[in-house]
Amino acid sequence: MDKLIITVAITGAEVTKEQNPNLPVTPEEIAEEAYRCYLAGASMVHLHVRDKDGKPTQDKEIFKRTMELIRERCNIIIQVSTGGAVGMTKEERIQPVYLRPEMATLTTGTVNFGEDVFYNPPEYIEHFAVEMVKMGVKPEIEVFEVGMIENAQRLVKRGILKNPLHYDFVMGVPGGIPGTVKNLLHLVESLPPNSTWSVAGIGRTELPLATASIILGGHVRVGFEDNIYYKKGVLAESNAQLVERVVRIARELDREVATPDEARKILGLI
Ligand code: KMH
Ligand code: ZN
């Protein structure tokens, strides 16, 4: 098995400081948290940013500042979000890709998202994929439903993307695929050969799905974007605390944890 890539999704677009006061929102807070997660064993950060009022934004300048602050501190892989927040236009969402981060997310289908709709029609998907290729940015295919794997493969058949792709299964979103191990197995079995994959379990599904992924040879995403609790009724103190727990479980299961450069090799970034 490859070494384990731990991605940390430290801020997201939906969580507020009211829900967890430890949520990092300013560029400085986000960079410090990314650094603490790197020290704890994360090799990739999934990045969202907020404006001065703490609202989600895809503002290129705020992304730029945050990325600079992270890079001053460590060599963690930076993966920007093109999902942003529900309701954002495709022009807003694509902005951070033009900063040429190493990776960016690419959700290959529309999905209900709680009471909202996370809108990803074919036109958006193609536009994001084409721009990522132009900028030399590797996509991480965000899969909220099994059909999204096939949608990504359609981009490969049309010559826009190349296999092997890296996938992230976002499981347990109300409106998307439920976060069960049975569903995880189905997703993994639906992948083309040589794909790499990770799991982001939402809420209480984070820990069991992370553990299953470590056993199955996948990779893991944790963080406040997906889950603000350490355990039932107990808020997490930091994103690093969630990373540290994954590292402990991986060690117990005899799976080594990848450094950022080892993760780059596994993902074909270098
Ligand atoms: N905030 C969600 C609507 C991504 O980062 O690419 C979308 C999201 C996915 O977070
Ligand atoms: Zn995200």
Side-chain angles (χ1 to χ4, degrees):
M1 268 185 208
D2 282 330
K3 289 189 181 181
L4 178 70
I5 300 171
I6 302 175
T7 299
V8 65
I10 57 187
T11 302
E14 291 81 25
V15 177
T16 63
K17 279 215 191 251
E18 285 70 43
Q19 292 168 317
N20 187 329
N22 304 315
L23 181 77
V25 291
T26 65
E28 289 73 17
E29 285 172 352
I30 292 171
E32 269 306 304
E33 186 79 330
Y35 180 56
R36 277 194 293 267
C37 291
Y38 157 82
L39 292 177
S43 48
M44 174 145 53
V45 58
H46 168 72
L47 197 61
H48 286 255
V49 297
R50 303 288 177 96
D51 66 16
K52 286 201 175 64
D53 301 322
K55 300 234 164 58
T57 177
Q58 292 291 98
D59 186 294
K60 201 174 148 192
E61 288 312 308
I62 302 180
F63 265 100
K64 185 164 178 271
R65 170 96 186 116
T66 310
M67 287 165 66
E68 282 166 1
L69 290 172
I70 294 172
R71 286 190 183 128
E72 276 171 18
R73 287 162 171 79
C74 60
N75 70 341
I76 194 166
I77 299 168
I78 299 178
Q79 176 201 82
V80 301
S81 169
T82 65
V86 289
M88 286 181 176
T89 63
K90 89 172 187 292
E91 290 73 23
E92 278 177 280
R93 286 171 54 181
I94 191 72
Q95 285 184 74
V97 168
Y98 298 118
L99 296 167
R100 298 181 185 271
E102 284 179 274
M103 292 187 75
T105 53
L106 176 63
T107 301
T108 47
T110 295
V111 62
N112 286 352
F113 197 83
E115 297 306 307
D116 298 306
V117 177
F118 181 31
Y119 189 59
N120 296 290
E123 178 212 342
Y124 282 35
I125 301 170
E126 181 174 334
H127 177 63
F128 293 160
V130 166
E131 296 305 293
M132 283 182 210
V133 172
K134 268 194 220 158
M135 293 294 124
V137 176
K138 182 175 168 105
E140 175 181 273
I141 309 297
E142 303 300 300
V143 171
F144 292 70
E145 280 294 354
V146 67
M148 294 189 190
I149 296 173
E150 189 50 35
N151 290 346
Q153 284 306 305
R154 232 169 259 139
L155 295 171
V156 173
K157 282 180 199 129
R158 293 173 55 209
I160 297 172
L161 296 181
K162 283 201 188 86
N163 279 331
L165 291 172
H166 179 63
Y167 296 81
D168 180 44
F169 302 135
V170 186
M171 303 181 70
V173 168
I177 191 165
T180 64
V181 172
K182 190 173 168 195
N183 284 341
L184 175 61
L185 292 174
H186 179 51
L187 289 167
V188 174
E189 283 161 8
S190 304
L191 289 175
N194 301 322
S195 305
T196 50
W197 57 274
S198 73
V199 184
I202 304 302
R204 73 189 64 164
T205 72
E206 184 173 84
L207 187 57
L209 289 175
T211 308
S213 184
I214 294 168
I215 295 164
L216 291 169
H219 303 284
V220 168
R221 179 174 112 174
V222 292
F224 285 5
E225 174 166 348
D226 304 331
N227 166 43
I228 57 173
Y229 291 98
Y230 188 74
K231 57 184 177 185
K232 195 168 189 289
V234 180
L235 288 173
E237 287 164 14
S238 65
N239 283 277
Q241 188 189 25
L242 299 172
V243 172
E244 282 160 9
R245 176 165 61 184
V246 173
V247 170
R248 285 198 302 275
I249 295 169
R251 289 216 176 106
E252 288 296 326
L253 293 169
D254 233 354
R255 181 103 186 258
E256 283 184 72
V257 174
T259 64
D261 280 343
E262 288 167 341
R264 284 183 174 92
K265 284 209 185 96
I266 294 166
L267 296 170
L269 294 170
I270 51 175

